[in-house]
Amino acid sequence: MTPKLEMRTSQALVMTPQLMQAIKLLQLSNVDLVAHVETELERNPLLVRDESDERGPGEGNEAADRGDASSDAASSDTSSDGGPDSGSDSDGPDLDTAPLADALTSGADANVSDLDADFGSVYAEDGPSDSPAPVSDPGALAGSSWSQVSGRGGSADDFDLDAVLGAEKSMQDHLADQLVLAVSDPAERMIGQYLIDMIDEAGYLTGDVETMAEQLGTDPETVERVLAVVQSFDPSGIGARSLAECLALQLKERDRLDPAMKALVDNLEILARRDFSALRRICGVDEEDLVDMIGEIRALNPKPGNAFGAAVVQTVVPDVIVRPSSSGGWAIELNTETLPKVLVDQTYYTTVSRAAVDDKAKTYLSDCLQTANWLVKSLDQRARTILKVSTEIVRQQDGFLANGVAYLKPLNLRTVAEAINMHESTVSRVTSNKYMATPRGIFELKYFFTSAIASAEGGEAHSAEAVRHQIRRLIDAENPEAILSDDTIVKMLRDSGVDIARRTVAKYRESMRIPSSVQRRREKRALQHGAA
């Protein structure tokens, strides 16, 4: 046992900050990538947005004015490897209108002095006599009186009718306008406004009446009475606490809430099971009347609040675009609209580094330059990797693109990784939150990876998604007098060369929200009798 020095050679994977950044960029979606690049542009003074493609012929280039900028690493070839990146528009400056709002609402001279303006310039044509009288009832702030109190415009010429008509009214504002006309008592109006604020986007009341009554300092009977008034507002069914109550409110407005319909609404779980014989017994009607009642239920709106469109739907923007090629194959290119393009301003770095005198400033500039170069390189590598993986997916799923989902082949990450000499984890990150636009629609890249189902004849395996499509096609084409059971579907699939178990057929059928054979038989017979 003696101390000694030894020299050994070994290999180890070190997760440097640059490597971690490259991995992070690879799995980001196009929206998250743009947000990340915007953050880096604000933090790093050596990064500039490439706006050369967005400027007109008479406009200058900011990056060119500040110096040469390297753009080779951020571009790609559209002919075979992908499309060039494109920059994104910068937002305009935000105007701070808080001082102006304070001055207009308070009328104090001290606040107006902060605006560097006098009353003569703010109120060009209005005199002191135009000020509105005090309003004691908050509910009266509607229509023209509200425009006067808010201080928006003093003359009729300043009134913007297009802006008022084009403004989208929210559900709460729509209900509040009706509350002013329906309720005159200030206490009940306050309770009604509280109930309106507790209505979610779908139009349902969230919260318990007893709890709300305790918070408002009143009795539950008063809250119930005001709630009944709110539930009579437009749209019909608003403010309901359950689906059954929502449907009952709409039927009551149509004068169709008779005892039989009330019994049907109270037993929606039986209707969901399609147990029509039990419903006929509970409602006390024959089969023809039951079919008519179910048709009326289906015509109702289960989510009346959705008519106002409060929720913003995010449109899926594809990362890769696949088009038929004139040579008979497929042309694959990156969507340049989703790729942010940034440049490294080398001239600005040279100018600033010459003026830096202390070591701290030089170290900061060196780190910024290294980070900027690595970001540009990572963006270019990300684009090339996405294009490489997408090209292999298109090559593997050529039958799907040409003939439809029935020809979708089973595919896993390992197959693609081995074909392009990459690791499975890299392929997994590339296919996360990435979309491909094809002639058959927009699909997530993970859609093309499906499990394999063995062939009954020992041939090529079948894709699970193709088998699902085949099951749906068989059920859609079934005869109402001869409903296909799961066992029958298994036999038909095996006759077509698909070796599948009954439990797998049941699992695929339930994932597509297709009811069982018993429920389908009841529903189709009821529809036949209703049509007759």
Side-chain angles (χ1 to χ4, degrees), residues 99-122:
L100 180 60
D102 294 337
L104 295 180
T105 55
S106 64
D109 295 338
N111 291 342
V112 176
S113 62
D114 296 338
L115 300 175
D116 196 17
D118 55 3
F119 272 110
S121 60
V122 177

Side-chain angles (χ1 to χ4, degrees), residues 392-401 403-412 415-416 445-453 460-467:
E392 180 61 23
I393 291 176
V394 171
R395 191 185 70 84
Q396 295 281 351
Q397 302 293 355
D398 176 73
F400 163 76
L401 297 175
N403 303 310
V405 68
Y407 294 86
L408 190 65
K409 294 171 55 179
L411 187 65
N412 53 32
T415 303
V416 176
L445 294 184
K446 285 188 176 297
Y447 172 82
F448 299 99
F449 296 89
T450 59
S451 57
I453 297 179
E460 186 178 357
H462 302 270
S463 169
E465 191 66 29
V467 174

Side-chain angles (χ1 to χ4, degrees), residues 39-55:
T39 303
E40 292 295 329
L41 285 171
E42 296 176 358
R43 183 169 54 186
N44 196 331
L46 300 183
L47 279 174
V48 292
R49 185 183 291 106
D50 183 14
E51 300 177 351
S52 58
D53 296 336
E54 300 177 2
R55 295 179 178 270

Side-chain angles (χ1 to χ4, degrees), residues 46 113 133 143 197 278 288 298 404 480 497-498 526:
L46 300 183
S113 62
D197 293 337
E288 182 178 357
R298 289 177 175 175
V498 180

Side-chain angles (χ1 to χ4, degrees), residues 330-343:
W330 301 98
I332 308 165
E333 61 180 0
L334 294 175
N335 186 4
T336 57
E337 298 296 331
T338 64
L339 297 176
K341 192 172 183 181
V342 293
L343 306 174

Side-chain angles (χ1 to χ4, degrees), residues 139-191:
L141 295 180
S144 59
S145 62
W146 170 247
S147 63
Q148 295 175 1
V149 174
S150 62
R152 291 192 173 205
S155 63
D157 297 337
D158 297 334
F159 181 71
D160 191 355
L161 181 60
D162 294 336
V164 174
L165 296 178
E168 184 178 356
K169 180 177 288 188
S170 64
M171 178 180 61
Q172 278 71 21
D173 294 339
H174 180 67
L175 297 176
D177 293 343
Q178 301 176 67
L179 180 66
V180 172
L181 302 176
V183 180
S184 58
D185 184 70
E188 293 187 355
R189 184 177 293 172
M190 184 191 69
I191 297 174

